[in-house]
Amino acid sequence: MKIYPAIDVLGGKAVRLLQGDYDKATVLNDNPAAATEEWVRCNAEDIHIVDLDGARYGKSYVTDIIRDIKSEFNIRIQTGGGVRSLSDIDERIEAGADRVIIGTAAVKNPGLVREAVIKYGERIAVGIDAKNGYAAVSGWREVSGVRAAELALNMKELGIKTVIYTDISKDGMMTGPNIEATREMIEKTGLDIIASGGVSSLKDIENVYKIGAYGVIIGKALYNGSVDLKEVLIN
């Protein structure tokens, strides 16, 4: 199972939000590249970068950060937030991103997903953020009328193989991921599901592993010391 340390970027800084609330942002590092260096020292092979400005305002500001990280470190980057057009995807991949995640646009413009998959294949993933079982969009401020599992299956028909699944109610709460909902996504879709939201301990990571998740994203627990990345990668 792949392990993805998370770096959420807001105003050029690495932050963490509580349940996606922009008014509850905690600055973790003024320099996202410095945060990456810490995970590289732990032998991380992948990182997960979210452009929170992009997710909220529909405009990406992370290409320079991606470029800086790639120039300094040998690490794979998957990134999302604010991906609204093929040019947004082009810019991130040209900057060095290994995988680009389409979120809101997957609900509002599935044609973009089809176009992106044709051009970039498995380098395109879809992020599904769920609230009470329904996909949330626009930086989690709106809840669509589309059920998360239904959206995942629609994306599968368009050629998507990887989904980043986040339960908003768990994000940043340190209460453990929504195992049952994540298991349902895995079993109903047959896709590679990367679990996100709520990971607070090594036990949580083991639970995600047991249900057959492709990967897990770890954020707040790494920054507050609840999870030791070296220990996770060893295990």
Side-chain angles (χ1 to χ4, degrees), residues 123-156:
R123 297 182 74 178
I124 303 300
V126 163
I128 298 178
D129 305 324
K131 186 172 185 179
N132 299 322
Y134 288 87
V137 297
S138 300
W140 297 358
R141 291 171 298 153
E142 305 172 22
V143 178
S144 73
V146 182
R147 295 200 67 87
E150 178 186 352
L151 176 60
L153 287 170
N154 291 343
M155 295 300 103
K156 185 177 183 178

Side-chain angles (χ1 to χ4, degrees), residues 30-106:
D30 287 339
N31 183 356
T36 303
E37 183 176 13
E38 182 175 352
W39 308 141
V40 170
R41 287 201 304 267
C42 295
N43 296 317
E45 297 179 343
D46 302 87
I47 56 171
H48 175 82
I49 299 179
V50 178
D51 177 11
L52 294 173
D53 290 304
R56 189 172 195 179
Y57 303 115
K59 175 63 179 177
S60 173
Y61 299 98
V62 297
T63 52
D64 287 341
I65 292 171
I66 293 169
R67 193 174 289 108
D68 289 344
I69 290 172
K70 274 293 191 176
S71 69
E72 292 186 44
F73 309 111
N74 181 25
I75 194 165
R76 291 186 294 266
I77 296 174
Q78 68 174 22
T79 180
V83 177
R84 303 289 191 269
S85 67
L86 192 62
S87 63
D88 290 337
I89 297 169
D90 292 338
E91 288 173 4
R92 297 195 191 199
I93 287 182
E94 288 168 6
D98 297 275
R99 176 185 287 147
V100 176
I101 304 160
I102 302 173
T104 294

Side-chain angles (χ1 to χ4, degrees), residues 220-228:
K220 185 176 181 180
L222 291 178
Y223 292 95
N224 68 15
S226 298
V227 171
D228 184 333

Side-chain angles (χ1 to χ4, degrees), residues 163-185:
V163 165
I164 292 81
Y165 177 70
T166 306
D167 186 310
I168 295 173
S169 68
K170 298 290 187 176
D171 186 73
M173 297 302 291
M174 302 290 291
T175 56
N178 190 330
I179 294 296
E180 288 308 312
T182 306
R183 187 205 310 273
E184 180 181 8
M185 286 290 288

